[in-house]
Amino acid sequence: MNFASDNWAGATPEVMAALGRANDGFAPAYGNDALTQRVTARFAALFEREVEVWFTATGTASNSLGLAALSRPGGLVLCSSEAHITTDEWGATEFQSGGMKLIALPQVAGKLQPQDVVDALGRYPAAGRFGTPVALSLTNATELGTVYRPADIAALTAPARAAGLAVHLDGARFGNAVVATGASPADLTWRSGVDLMSFGGTKNGCWAAEAIVVFAPDRMRDLAARRQRAGQTFSKARFVAAQFEAYLDDGNWLRWARHANAMAERLRAGLRASNRARLGWESEANEVFAVLPGTSVAAIRAAGGSLHEWPADSLPVGQRPEAGETLVRLVTSWASSADEVGRLLSML
Ligand SMILES: Cc1ncc(COP(=O)(O)O)c(C=O)c1O
């Protein structure tokens, strides 16, 4: 019963086999190998346009270096109060950008609302006394398992772009968002006003394959230098490329994400039907949030199960756990099984 994180899952057999194949002989270093060139072309096909692809090792590196390349002194980045960049990354964006400030905005189940972006732009006018907004950062699928559809993204990016901001997308779980929305990668990104994204592979079947995908290179400054100085320029880039090639081959990434989302939906269905537990909110991707009796959480852990407790203030006042209850996050992955979902539900 592994529901702590999709990061706890291993890499898929396809990815491991690709790594083995890439290990054959010598190849030019630092991304000048044929495999890396091929994968860059695959990204262009996936997004239906030319893109720049910059491999990194972690989502934090992608987010912070991508945003840093947009930076200017006194720069502000608008994001949701649940955004990984503000809650979990230990100031990486602030550090890599030389001190940009993240402005955390209200969210509903992890999703920013257009009016809140408009209000923030009013509160933080360009070159006003609080700094200058330079970027809006969205996450899809969100940290709370919900998803933005292309129209949602366009409604958020329109006011930001009109005010001159660039738009960054944290796609640590982009595959889950593509599957949940049924929208194309292009529609979920540049066609809806996204300038650059952190494209995640690790959570969905790779072991360390992340990339900054840039749709608007003219907005980016010094990304090569920033990546080099952060120690994120891979000499043996072919091994990251190999993971991405296996990821994108035959729609593997969508198959893996579809499985993870389906396992999450199974969990949600069981939780909706339970009289011992309740969903914190409806999500659509591979993260499920539920209020469980503390005794159930203890029993699941005692049986070897893993899950994370989640801050109750992610829930509106009035829906927060009562005494003896806990809000938990349950994450499914390509490696989750219907059997372990069934076992967890039966323990409730
Ligand atoms: C939404 C989101 N973005 C970024 C990351 C960063 O991942 P990493 O741990 O690879 O830096 C995570 C990891 O949990 C995440 O959930």
Side-chain angles (χ1 to χ4, degrees), residues 33-122:
D33 60 288
L35 184 49
T36 301
Q37 311 294 321
R38 211 157 66 221
V39 164
T40 302
R42 291 289 294 273
F43 272 98
L46 182 70
F47 284 103
E48 305 173 51
R49 58 167 291 163
E50 287 292 302
V51 291
E52 285 183 4
V53 181
W54 303 75
F55 296 155
T56 68
T58 66
T60 300
S62 288
N63 286 340
S64 59
L65 294 174
L67 286 165
L70 301 169
S71 69
R72 49 182 296 185
L76 306 174
V77 177
L78 309 182
C79 62
S80 104
S81 60
E82 296 278 354
H84 199 267
I85 56 171
T86 187
T87 59
D88 281 75
E89 299 186 2
W90 294 40
T93 295
E94 294 89 324
F95 175 71
Q96 297 293 358
S97 66
M100 280 208 295
K101 185 174 164 68
L102 305 189
I103 305 291
L105 304 182
Q107 41 70 40
V108 178
K111 292 173 69 173
L112 285 170
Q113 307 299 307
Q115 191 57 49
D116 289 320
V117 172
V118 171
D119 290 349
L121 292 166

Side-chain angles (χ1 to χ4, degrees), residues 7 57-61 63 84 89 139 141 143 170 172-173 203 210:
N7 282 325
T58 66
T60 300
N63 286 340
H84 199 267
E89 299 186 2
T139 308
E143 290 77 2
D170 178 347
R173 295 189 177 86
K203 293 177 194 303
E210 302 286 321

